[in-house]
Amino acid sequence: MKVKTIIIFLLTVTLSLQAQKYEVRAVWLTTIGGIDWPYAKTASAQKQEMISTLDQLKRVNVNTVLIQTRVRASTIYPSAIEPFDMCLTGTHGRNPGYDPLEFIVDECHKRGMECHAWIVTIPVGKTSEARFKEFKRKNPKLAKSIGQDGFMDPENPATGDYIANICAEVTRKYDIDGIHLDYIRYPETWKIKVPRQKARDNITSIVREINRAVKSLKPWVKLSCSPVGKSGDLSRYRSGGWNAYNAVCQDAQGWLREGLMDQMYPMMYFRENNFYPFALDWQERSYGRTIVSGLGIYFLSPREGNWTLGDVTREMSFVRQNGIGHCYFRSKFLTDNTRGIYDFVRQFDEAPALIPPMTWTWNEAPTSPTRLDIQRGSSQDHLSWSGATNPSRTSYLLYNIYASTMPNVDVNEPRNLIATRLQAERLNIPHTNGQTLYYAVCALDRYGNESAPIMSDTRKKTISIPRSMTPKDTHIPPFYYIWSKKQQKKYNKTH
C-alpha cells in the first residue's frame, strides 16, 4: 500500500469516529443536458438509472438529494407554466410519458432521504434555444439577453411573482422536502446601472416572494439557496473580487438574518485559505440556520482541476469539526468514485445522520409511539409500532430506528441509528447469528423534531449479531427495507 494511501486510510478511520447525529449530507443531481441524469430517453431506462444512482447514494449515507427541477425555463415535471426540458426526450417540450419528479421524490423517500426541488431562477437558456424563444414569446417584458445568454430581468417586479408561482406549483403538487434556489442573483455579465443596494433589494424582493409562496402552502418545506461561495471580503482574507454581496448582489447572510432561508449551500469550490476562513464566516453568520458547504468534487477530475483527494477530505474534516454540513457538486463525480472519493465517503459517513430540525419554525416534538412489538420469524424479525401523535399538524409522521447490543438503547449515539425517516409503522430485519440486539423507535415530524424513544422489551430476545461486534458497530444494511430476497441472501453470505 502506498504511503499516501495509508495516510488517507488513517485519516478516514480517525474522522469516522467523529460521526454526528445531525448533519446534512447532500448532492446536487444535475439534469441539464443529462450530465448526471438521465442518459437514456425512455421512461423505463430513466427510472432504472435513477434507482441505481439513489442506491449508490444511500450506501454512503447521503440524506438529501437536490434534483434539478426547473432547468432553463423548462422543467422535469408536467407544469402548467413551462414546458418539459429536452433532457428527458431529446426534444423541447415533449412529454416523457411519466412524471419524473414524482418518481424521484417517491424513490428518495423509500430510502429515507429528503428530496429538494432545485430551481434555476434567473437564467433561461441560450438565446438560440427553443426554451428561451418560447419564454420570450410568452413573457416579452421579463426576457433579457446578454450576448448569447438569456435571463429573466431581476429588476422587473414580475420576475419574483413568476418564479414564486413555479415554486408554489412544485410545493403544491409534490411531497417535496425543500425548494432549493440556484442563480438567485444578478448575472455576472449584467451591467448594473442601479445603486448596488437597490440591486440587492431587487434580488431580496424575489426571495421574499418565493418564501411567502412556499411557506403559505407547507411551512415545513425547507427553503434554501446556493450563493457564491464567498459572501464578501473578510478582515484578513480577500475574496478576489468574486463574492456574493458586491459582485452579484446576493445578500445571502441578510436572508439568513431575516429568516428567509432555512438552509444555505454556499458554492465553496475553492481550496485552502480560499475555503476555510470563508466557511467559518458562513457558520458564524448563520443566525441559527443550517449551513451546508458546497464541495467542488468535480475538480478531482483531471479534465476539470486535477485536485488531489486530500484537497477534498481536509475540507470535509474541517466542516464537520465546525458543525457545517457538506454537499457534493456533482452527483456523478461521487458515484463514479473519482480519485477514490466514493470510497472515502463510505468510511467518513459510515453511520447515517439526521437532518437538523427546523426548530425556528416549530419545536414541539411528536409524542413517542405507545406500542412496539417484535416478532421473530425463521429468516427475519418483524418490528411494528403505533401510537405516536403529531402536534405539528404536518402531513404525516416519520420514524427513526435505533439498535444496540445494550438495553436502554442510546439514541444519541449516531452509530446506533440503523434506519431513518420511515413512513411505514413496520420494518423487517434479516437474521444473523450472535448476540441479542435491542431496539428504540422515535417519531419524527416534517420539521425534523424527534420524539422520545420507545424501547424494546429488554426481557425478550430480539435479533442476533456477531459476538465480536460492539453496540456502535451494529449496522443493518442501510436500505434493507427495500431489498429483494436475493439481495438479502447476498448480504448474509458476505457478512
Side-chain angles (χ1 to χ4, degrees):
M1 184 180 290
K2 295 180 180 179
V3 173
K4 184 177 179 181
T5 305
I6 293 173
I7 292 173
I8 293 290
F9 174 75
L10 292 175
L11 178 62
T12 299
V13 172
T14 301
L15 295 181
S16 66
L17 299 176
Q18 303 173 359
Q20 305 294 306
K21 178 174 178 177
Y22 291 99
E23 185 176 65
V24 174
R25 303 166 182 173
V27 295
W28 279 289
L29 209 162
T30 309
T31 60
I32 188 169
I35 57 176
D36 285 339
W37 177 90
Y39 303 116
K41 299 304 178 188
T42 64
S44 59
Q46 288 176 6
K47 290 179 180 180
Q48 192 54 52
E49 287 172 2
M50 180 56 66
I51 287 171
S52 177
T53 294
L54 294 179
D55 283 351
Q56 282 186 274
L57 297 177
K58 181 63 181 178
R59 289 188 191 103
V60 291
N61 288 313
V62 165
N63 58 23
T64 303
V65 174
L66 310 175
I67 178 69
Q68 194 172 31
T69 298
R70 187 195 190 215
V71 186
R72 294 290 190 277
S74 54
T75 69
I76 65 162
Y77 69 94
S79 169
I81 303 170
E82 294 185 330
F84 273 109
D85 188 75
M86 66 185 73
C87 72
L88 298 166
T89 63
T91 302
H92 171 74
R94 179 179 292 175
N95 192 316
Y98 75 113
D99 188 332
L101 183 56
E102 181 179 55
F103 177 79
I104 295 166
V105 170
D106 289 346
E107 291 297 319
C108 285
H109 287 176
K110 286 179 184 178
R111 291 160 179 77
M113 304 159 81
E114 286 199 354
C115 185
H116 296 210
W118 165 8
I119 306 295
V120 178
T121 56
I122 300 299
V124 289
K126 297 292 184 182
T127 56
S128 60
E129 294 176 330
R131 49 192 171 188
F132 175 78
K133 293 177 180 177
E134 180 172 346
F135 178 82
K136 185 175 182 179
R137 177 175 56 81
K138 293 180 178 179
N139 308 279
K141 294 182 179 180
L142 294 184
K144 297 291 183 180
S145 59
I146 303 175
Q148 297 180 352
D149 298 313
F151 302 96
M152 298 189 72
D153 184 357
E155 297 176 355
N156 187 327
T159 290
D161 294 334
Y162 186 97
I163 300 172
N165 286 337
I166 292 280
C167 294
E169 180 181 58
V170 173
T171 302
R172 187 182 299 109
K173 289 181 63 175
Y174 299 96
D175 189 22
I176 56 166
D177 303 286
I179 291 286
H180 178 71
L181 306 177
D182 187 19
Y183 220 112
I184 186 72
R185 59 181 176 86
Y186 272 79
E188 57 268 35
T189 52
W190 191 284
K191 294 181 179 180
I192 303 175
K193 298 179 181 179
V194 299
R196 274 296 194 272
Q197 186 55 52
K198 172 60 177 174
R200 282 188 285 270
D201 290 344
N202 289 335
I203 302 298
T204 297
S205 293
I206 297 172
V207 173
R208 289 195 187 106
E209 286 299 315
I210 296 168
N211 180 284
R212 281 195 288 267
V214 170
K215 297 297 185 177
S216 66
L217 293 169
K218 297 176 181 177
W220 61 87
V221 169
K222 298 175 180 68
L223 191 61
S224 67
C225 70
S226 51
V228 170
K230 300 173 183 178
S231 178
D233 291 332
L234 307 181
S235 59
R236 294 181 57 195
Y237 299 93
R238 312 299 290 176
S239 62
W242 179 242
N243 62 59
Y245 191 75
N246 290 313
V248 292
C249 301
Q250 285 180 306
D251 187 11
Q253 291 177 345
W255 304 339
L256 290 167
R257 182 177 60 250
E258 192 176 331
L260 297 174
M261 292 287 162
D262 301 298
Q263 297 178 334
M264 189 70 71
Y265 293 73
M267 300 180 293
M268 305 197 65
Y269 310 151
F270 316 109
R271 288 184 288 185
E272 301 174 347
N273 283 341
N274 282 310
F275 180 92
Y276 302 114
F278 294 95
L280 285 180
D281 178 59
W282 286 109
Q283 183 68 339
E284 289 170 356
R285 291 168 175 77
S286 66
Y287 300 93
R289 305 305 169 94
T290 303
I291 303 298
V292 187
S293 58
L295 302 176
I297 64 169
Y298 67 100
F299 279 127
L300 291 170
S301 169
R303 294 190 301 272
E304 298 287 348
N306 207 26
W307 283 13
T308 67
L309 179 59
D311 289 328
V312 176
T313 60
R314 286 190 296 272
E315 293 179 351
M316 293 176 67
S317 174
F318 180 84
V319 296
R320 173 164 291 173
Q321 290 169 359
N322 288 281
I324 303 170
H326 48 276
C327 182
Y328 307 105
F329 186 79
R330 305 180 337 256
S331 172
K332 190 175 189 301
F333 292 95
L334 176 62
T335 55
D336 281 355
N337 198 25
T338 307
R339 286 198 187 275
I341 183 64
Y342 187 87
D343 292 337
F344 178 85
V345 173
R346 188 194 296 271
Q347 297 298 318
F348 186 82
D349 290 336
E350 181 185 16
L354 303 180
I355 292 144
M358 299 165 61
T359 53
W360 49 87
T361 302
W362 182 269
N363 62 6
E364 183 180 352
T367 65
S368 59
T370 56
R371 178 188 67 86
L372 172 58
D373 291 335
I374 302 170
Q375 299 178 3
R376 290 178 59 82
S378 58
S379 62
Q380 62 184 3
D381 289 332
H382 177 72
L383 279 65
S384 63
W385 56 88
S386 62
T389 60
N390 183 10
S392 73
R393 298 185 297 278
T394 52
S395 50
Y396 52 80
L397 285 175
L398 300 160
Y399 300 93
N400 299 324
I401 314 301
Y402 301 81
S404 171
T405 55
M406 301 293 292
N408 299 318
V409 180
D410 182 1
V411 297
N412 293 313
E413 167 53 63
R415 299 185 187 197
N416 287 339
L417 182 61
I418 65 168
T420 62
R421 299 176 56 82
L422 299 180
Q423 292 192 39
E425 295 182 335
R426 59 188 181 278
L427 181 65
N428 294 327
I429 302 177
H431 282 173
T432 54
N433 297 314
Q435 294 173 307
T436 299
L437 189 67
Y438 303 98
Y439 298 102
V441 178
C442 297
L444 188 78
D445 66 25
R446 299 298 297 279
Y447 295 100
N449 298 296
E450 188 181 51
S451 76
I454 182 173
M455 302 283 185
S456 58
D457 190 337
T458 58
R459 296 169 298 174
K460 297 178 182 178
K461 190 171 183 179
T462 54
I463 185 175
S464 297
I465 63 170
R467 294 182 183 278
S468 61
M469 287 188 174
T470 61
K472 66 183 180 181
D473 294 322
T474 57
H475 290 305
I476 304 300
F479 48 98
Y480 50 84
Y481 47 90
I482 61 165
W483 275 18
S484 66
K485 291 182 179 179
K486 183 177 179 181
Q487 288 171 314
Q488 290 178 0
K489 186 176 180 181
K490 181 179 179 181
Y491 178 87
N492 291 339
K493 282 183 178 181
T494 57
H495 289 72

